[in-house]
Amino acid sequence: MSALGAPLRRLEGTAKVTGAARYSFEHTPDGCVYAWPVQSTAAMSRIIAIDVDAVLAMPGVVDVITADDAERLEDADDGELMVLQSSNVAYRGQVVALVVAESLETAREAATRLRVDYQTGDVDAVLEPGHPKLYAPDEVNAGFPTDTSVGDIDQALAQAHAVVDHTYSTPAQFNSPMEPHATVATWSDGRLDVFESSQGSSSTVQILSTLFGIPAADITVDSQHVGGGFGAKGSPRPNVVLAVMAARRVGRPVKLAYTRQMMFALAGYRTPTFSRIRLAAGEDGRLLGLAHDAISQTSTIEEFTEQTAESSRHMYAAPHRSTSHRVAALDVPTPRWMRAPGEMPGMFALESAIDELAHEMGIDPVELRVLNEPASDPESGKDFSSRHLVDCLRRGAAAFGWEGRDPAPGVRRDGRWLVGTGVASALYPAMVMPSSARVTARRDGDYLVEINAADIGTGARTVLAQVTADRLGVDVDRVDIRIGVSSLPQASIAGGSAGTASWGWAVSKASLALVDRLKDEAVPDDGLSAEADTADDIEAMADVDRHAYGAHFAEVRVDLDSGEIAVSRMLGVFAAGRILNSRTARSQFIGGMTMGVSGALHEHGVMDAVHGDYANHDLATYHVAACADVPDIRVEWLDEHDDQLNPVGGKGIGEIGNVGAAAAVANAVWHATGVRVRDLPIQPDALVRHLPMRG
Amino acid sequence: MTPPVTTQRVDLEVNGVQHACDLDPRTTLLDALREHLDLTGSKKGCDHGQCGACTVLVDGRRTNSCLLLAVAAEGSTVTTIEGLGGPDLPHPVQEAFLEHDAYQCGYCTPGQICSAVGMLDEAAQGWPSVVTDDLTDAGELGTDEIRERMSGNICRCGAYVNIVTAIAAVDA
Ligand code: FES
Ligand code: FES
């Protein structure tokens, strides 16, 4: 039996459930000291004075580093990493000093005592439609075009039988991996060794090499266990730069971990978004026009534009179309990637609007989507490598019991609860990035696969061992795997749902090369290896449109008295190419959907307009879904074969569960109550005054 | 030369082993475990009692070790994830987490497992929760009870569905 697709347990599972798996901060080199960042308490300001001496005099304080005396860094093309380089402060929460002390307790105490005086300016930190600072960036995240236009959207709107024109918003959301960002940095004899919580340490090495002006060959970054990231650890954040800087300066190993509160300013987050969606439909429900105009924020030190309207370029057929992105540089921390950047907020908007159109036209929401299924990519005209959205919708509808659903909103009661159901589509690009791997046959008959992949909870170790075993034609337990250290063959980050496809390709290619060598070579004492790199293969790929698809179905209950919303049932059906491990894949889909429920109902970064900071910057006030908020989520997938992807045949599954899930919940809330909420999160205050009295 | 920071002797019993520690009195039990005793299985997710990642058993009861000063744990018996079971002899809850894939990144996992062990004991003693209908029935926990009682442990990977399944399997 092939190892591919088998529900293998995670190879590092025992280490994780017994507490033996060590995450970055859990390495404590001899003689280490602790560093604690001091954050600005003023947005958009200038530091006038820092009373370093008072803190340096405290027992146990080793050093205080400020912009006055920090070493100068080379620009690595990320403004957030230029820490302690200037006395200008761009946002509240930015690092203005670093305290180094003999113990964690002293470092924390000293950091709170460090007095910093600021000259403050006016704070501009609240994104709104029509904000005067909105501009068109050259491109948006992941290199997508800022604006696109096909046909004449105004003409389509003028001629339509039905028009939907609404603005939908999503708030600032915070990735909040359970392991806060952390670094342990040690310099010895000019070499730098780092333990870092990272989604991809190969790129961390390159960036540290640039920032600190040392050869990449002299740097090792170890990220063997990573406590989640969801994009927040996709590129280095200030923590690693600060720790490395401090370790060089004090000549001792340095440990630095963000507090949970620091995570909200210094780890990246999802920008708030506003999406105006305009749909123009003909009498039969077919779209004549589709427009998506998105706005988002960035900081004043780094431009990041969420690609919010990108998904609307691919979802539905319509001859007239237009999309745009505008961004405002505000006095806020720089937003970054958070699980399905672009698709999550964009598809909340589009899939809510489609639901509104279905109601307006009296067409079942599943059927309206089927009706608008394109034959090729609706903007580019490219062929699909495969597209089974309709199959996901149909199969999901059957499994969920959608048939015979009464479309009328606000009419189903179960005791004190109003009950409703909703559907939404999902899509996510199937990407692949260049990677390399080495596979070695050992004298004892076992194999070793080495690749600097990162396992942030996806089960990467396990599926890559499965791919190797499959290609070599051996049992998985004869394959050892080493990942998560930058000295291994270089590989792409765990991001863009492209990890397994990218790494799997490299591992597959190296395995097949080894099989070739083993045909006419004996295994010497130190083993026989083959290496492979996929850069050229990826370059040569055909120019087709590659996406994974899915359909979410949700049932919600809304309490008549309080407006409390509970998701009671949820089903996701996905078409994501070949599924390589049914056990871990199911968990990942469920995890994405769980984050979708969390975003739909709970997560809400609240900007303090006066001070320019997210006021609810901890886990007591920034609510993420807890166990009691999450129903029994069911997941199914299609047996999809797509030979235009990559040799392992997977499209990526890390993010698609979080795309469309919030819209399915929002649509179900509308079906339950008749109240359309266009701003996430949906909370009782938006519903309660509209609900009927309980009879 | 700065004078040394004050430390004091703290005797801790962890996983059946006595440790004579020399600790800054501000040290939490969590930091004593992680930074001084090299027991890094207990995790720090928030340091403020908001996430449950640091959950250990103190005298058998689940406790956020980030909210307890190490000095206050003197005289108590502390059980961490390392003390529940190891690779050779995993605790039934650890085994159920493996079988039901009740974790992804694994960072909340030791806290979830310690919390589940403490929670099952609370339920066995007849402690009700906010969703308990019948205060006299100490029978098997349903999934609603497990969800409610495990809501002090956040899992950002979203493993709750499998966590509930795993705990229900142990309780059955
Ligand atoms: S670390 Fe103790 S509750 Fe979060
Ligand atoms: S397994 Fe990652 S936070 Fe729970």
Side-chain angles (χ1 to χ4, degrees):
Chain A
M1 187 187 115
S2 163
L4 285 188
L8 202 66
R9 286 184 179 190
R10 292 169 200 262
L11 299 180
E12 76 287 2
T14 299
K16 282 180 175 171
V17 304
T18 59
R22 271 183 204 261
Y23 298 73
S24 55
F25 198 74
E26 293 160 6
H27 298 85
T28 302
D30 285 344
C32 72
V33 288
Y34 293 83
W36 200 283
V38 178
Q39 295 177 276
S40 163
T41 55
M44 224 298 281
S45 55
R46 198 178 160 74
I47 300 165
I48 357 184
I50 303 184
D51 190 2
V52 169
D53 292 342
V55 163
L56 273 178
M58 287 173 65
V61 171
V62 174
D63 205 349
V64 178
I65 310 175
T66 72
D68 285 341
D69 59 1
E71 71 174 284
R72 296 300 107 185
L73 300 168
E74 295 298 324
D75 187 2
D77 200 22
D78 181 344
E80 286 282 351
L81 298 183
M82 299 302 280
V83 290
L84 304 179
Q85 300 298 295
S86 156
S87 54
N88 292 325
V89 175
Y91 58 87
R92 192 170 195 269
Q94 195 174 18
V95 176
V96 293
L98 188 73
V99 173
V100 184
E102 296 287 349
S103 74
L104 204 53
E105 293 73 30
T106 301
R108 178 178 58 210
E109 171 88 24
T112 53
R113 289 217 202 162
L114 186 71
R115 187 189 160 104
V116 183
D117 291 318
Y118 305 90
Q119 182 177 25
T120 56
D122 287 339
V123 178
D124 183 1
V126 180
L127 181 71
E128 283 166 348
H131 194 288
K133 288 185 182 159
L134 287 167
Y135 68 96
D138 290 342
E139 61 175 29
V140 299
N141 181 44
F144 291 112
T146 303
D147 296 350
T148 59
S149 169
V150 178
D152 182 345
I153 183 68
D154 293 328
Q155 188 197 329
L157 287 161
Q159 290 174 354
H161 173 78
V163 169
V164 165
D165 181 354
H166 290 297
T167 296
Y168 304 83
S169 76
T170 60
Q173 296 183 331
F174 295 84
N175 309 52
S176 308
M178 290 314 298
E179 182 204 15
H181 290 53
T183 308
V184 179
T186 305
W187 287 90
S188 47
D189 303 328
R191 272 202 57 81
L192 173 62
D193 286 291
V194 178
F195 293 99
E196 165 74 354
S197 189
S198 166
Q199 289 175 233
S201 58
S202 292
S203 66
T204 304
V205 167
Q206 295 305 326
I207 288 170
L208 290 176
S209 165
T210 303
L211 286 166
F212 290 95
I214 55 167
D218 292 344
I219 306 172
T220 306
V221 178
D222 183 316
S223 308
Q224 292 193 52
H225 293 289
V226 182
F230 317 108
K233 296 170 183 170
S235 64
R237 300 293 142 102
N239 56 293
V240 62
V241 187
L242 292 165
V244 168
M245 181 189 274
R248 177 136 89 175
R249 177 151 139 162
V250 303
R252 291 167 67 181
V254 167
K255 294 182 70 167
L256 186 159
Y258 283 168
T259 63
R260 178 56 59 186
Q261 289 79 358
M262 290 175 193
M263 293 287 288
F264 287 74
L266 297 174
Y269 61 103
R270 190 194 308 284
T271 170
T273 71
F274 293 88
S275 286
R276 182 183 180 195
I277 304 278
R278 287 171 292 164
L279 301 175
E283 211 163 340
D284 58 359
R286 284 182 214 277
L287 291 172
L288 302 170
L290 189 167
H292 188 163
D293 300 294
I295 70 170
S296 62
Q297 74 189 25
T298 188
S299 71
T300 58
I301 54 172
E302 182 69 23
E303 182 183 273
F304 177 93
T305 310
E306 180 109 351
Q307 69 272 38
T308 310
E310 162 63 17
S311 45
S312 291
R313 296 168 178 165
H314 306 284
M315 275 306 294
Y316 298 114
H320 304 284
R321 15 193 351 116
S322 124
T323 62
S324 73
H325 296 89
R326 297 293 178 268
V327 66
L330 304 179
D331 304 323
V332 296
T334 311
R336 296 289 171 118
W337 314 300
M338 174 166 160
R339 205 171 198 168
E343 287 81 11
M344 186 276 153
M347 288 290 280
F348 164 67
L350 179 64
E351 291 298 288
S352 295
I354 291 283
D355 200 64
E356 298 208 49
L357 181 65
H359 174 63
E360 181 151 340
M361 302 202 68
I363 299 176
D364 177 80
V366 170
E367 296 309 320
L368 182 66
R369 288 173 169 86
V370 173
L371 205 54
N372 285 289
E373 178 69 1
S376 60
D377 184 67
E379 269 203 9
S380 67
K382 286 183 196 174
D383 289 336
F384 298 122
S385 70
S386 61
R387 174 165 168 137
H388 294 108
L389 173 60
V390 171
D391 302 87
C392 293
L393 287 162
R394 293 265 186 247
R395 179 162 161 182
F400 191 75
W402 184 264
E403 205 184 323
R405 169 185 184 263
D406 176 1
V411 297
R412 283 150 302 276
R413 281 207 199 176
D414 177 9
R416 59 188 290 164
W417 300 89
L418 286 168
V419 183
T421 52
V423 62
S425 302
L427 96 168
Y428 194 81
M431 296 183 282
V432 63
M433 297 182 267
S435 290
S436 55
R438 177 168 55 237
V439 181
T440 303
R442 291 179 179 146
R443 273 300 281 269
D444 62 6
D446 284 355
Y447 299 85
L448 173 67
V449 51
E450 296 171 291
I451 178 168
N452 187 23
D455 193 335
I456 59 171
T458 58
R461 263 185 202 84
T462 315
V463 293
L464 293 177
Q466 286 176 277
V467 169
T468 309
D470 176 81
R471 296 302 191 260
L472 296 173
V474 302
D475 273 355
V476 175
D477 56 16
R478 286 181 52 201
V479 177
D480 272 350
I481 178 159
R482 291 192 60 210
I483 65 167
V485 185
S486 64
S487 52
L488 299 169
Q490 177 277 327
S492 60
I493 65 160
S497 294
T500 301
S502 308
W503 309 325
W505 192 338
V507 160
S508 173
K509 190 176 174 187
S511 301
L512 295 176
L514 179 65
V515 168
D516 259 359
R517 287 194 69 179
L518 285 169
K519 279 181 190 147
D520 36 40
E521 285 178 67
V523 178
D525 278 348
D526 58 350
L528 187 68
S529 294
E531 285 201 39
D533 185 302
T534 59
D536 293 343
D537 309 82
I538 291 169
E539 190 70 39
M541 287 172 81
D543 189 20
V544 297
D545 182 89
R546 297 179 183 84
H547 279 90
Y549 299 88
H552 296 278
F553 293 81
E555 179 188 86
V556 307
R557 303 160 77 80
V558 177
D559 184 287
L560 277 167
D561 296 337
S562 67
E564 178 192 345
I565 307 150
V567 179
S568 47
R569 209 153 64 84
M570 206 160 171
L571 168 70
V573 180
F574 300 95
R578 187 166 194 176
I579 298 301
L580 301 172
N581 179 321
S582 54
R583 183 192 303 258
T584 53
R586 182 172 166 275
S587 295
Q588 229 183 322
F589 284 129
I590 290 176
M593 292 171 71
T594 300
M595 197 174 275
V597 170
S598 188
L601 301 181
H602 304 292
E603 296 183 35
H604 188 192
V606 179
M607 175 53 73
D608 170 347
V610 176
H611 298 101
D613 193 3
Y614 286 100
N616 51 339
H617 50 242
D618 63 22
L619 291 173
T621 52
Y622 181 81
H623 291 168
V624 303
C627 199
D629 298 315
V630 179
D632 189 18
I633 294 174
R634 282 183 37 216
V635 165
E636 299 182 10
W637 52 82
L638 307 183
D639 191 17
E640 186 178 63
H641 297 275
D642 183 334
D643 57 14
Q644 296 195 78
L645 298 173
N646 57 73
V648 293
K651 285 182 172 176
I653 59 175
E655 286 159 280
I656 192 164
N658 193 30
V659 181
V665 172
N667 295 341
V669 167
W670 172 81
H671 188 236
T673 62
V675 183
R676 174 64 64 180
V677 182
R678 301 190 181 92
D679 307 299
L680 292 185
I682 305 169
Q683 296 196 323
D685 60 339
L687 302 178
V688 72
R689 64 182 182 276
H690 303 291
L691 299 177
M693 295 301 287
R694 180 147 61 100
Chain B
M1 183 64 193
T2 51
V5 175
T6 312
T7 59
Q8 73 183 67
R9 181 176 157 143
V10 180
D11 292 312
L12 292 174
E13 185 190 326
V14 184
N15 302 329
V17 179
Q18 295 288 341
H19 298 273
C21 309
D22 198 25
L23 296 177
D24 184 317
R26 297 168 293 187
T27 308
T28 62
L29 176 59
L30 178 61
D31 287 331
L33 294 169
R34 286 167 60 84
E35 302 303 323
H36 298 269
L37 299 179
D38 200 32
L39 290 167
T40 56
S42 304
K43 303 305 182 196
K44 185 183 284 188
C46 71
D47 218 14
H48 277 58
Q50 301 171 348
C51 77
C54 63
T55 306
V56 300
L57 299 168
V58 177
D59 296 327
R61 286 177 59 174
R62 48 181 176 161
T63 302
N64 288 337
S65 62
C66 72
L67 292 185
L68 190 67
L69 291 172
V71 290
E74 262 195 331
S76 296
T77 61
V78 177
T79 306
T80 69
I81 189 72
E82 292 94 341
L84 277 183
D88 299 331
L89 194 63
H91 187 280
V93 176
Q94 290 172 320
E95 176 56 31
F97 268 58
L98 290 174
E99 175 55 26
H100 297 279
D101 204 40
Y103 60 101
Q104 292 180 41
C105 77
Y107 198 77
C108 74
T109 310
Q112 301 277 0
I113 291 171
C114 287
S115 185
V117 170
M119 182 277 285
L120 289 170
D121 189 51
E122 291 160 16
Q125 292 180 41
W127 294 19
S129 83
V130 73
V131 299
T132 307
D133 286 332
D134 182 353
L135 298 182
T136 62
D137 176 21
E140 218 170 83
L141 288 171
T143 52
D144 285 347
E145 282 279 3
I146 295 173
R147 282 195 190 100
E148 173 62 31
R149 290 169 188 257
M150 289 301 294
S151 280
N153 289 82
I154 293 175
C155 175
R156 189 55 165 161
C157 294
Y160 300 128
V161 170
N162 292 352
I163 288 170
V164 172
T165 307
I167 296 172
V170 176
D171 190 46

